Amino acid sequence: MVVLKDISFPEFSPTQRVDKVLQAYIDNQTNSPYDVIIGLEELKPFGIDISCSTETLTWNNTTIPWKPKSYLDNASI
């Protein structure tokens, strides 16, 4: 487990930051479908809604589609 501070979710907002310390789990296994796991108990206070039926996430009236794990492999960061 790691502690994350001053994080942002840039697909929702390039400037908005989370003002709470979050706990996350890092998965380094190459066959895992996840890079970082942030639990529902952490996401719930922010009002981040995860919809499995539509494969979307919604936060502050912004909805984004789920992305595959490989989405950031070739992205400019």
Side-chain angles (χ1 to χ4, degrees):
M1 180 176 56
V2 296
V3 174
L4 305 174
K5 297 179 183 177
D6 194 37
I7 66 168
S8 68
F9 300 112
E11 286 193 329
F12 288 112
S13 169
T15 58
Q16 187 172 4
R17 296 253 184 234
V18 173
D19 62 351
K20 179 183 173 202
V21 174
L22 299 175
Q23 295 180 354
Y25 295 92
I26 307 298
D27 191 341
N28 292 331
Q29 297 179 21
T30 57
N31 61 347
S32 173
Y34 307 106
D35 291 324
V36 177
I37 300 169
I38 301 174
L40 292 177
E41 292 300 317
E42 300 291 334
L43 296 176
K44 202 160 90 173
F46 301 116
I48 296 176
D49 292 322
I50 301 169
S51 174
C52 295
S53 63
T54 61
E55 295 186 359
T56 59
L57 296 101
T58 302
W59 188 38
N60 294 333
N61 298 318
T62 301
T63 300
I64 60 170
W66 291 2
K67 303 285 193 289
K69 181 180 177 182
S70 60
Y71 177 74
L72 293 176
D73 287 353
N74 296 316
S76 303
I77 300 176

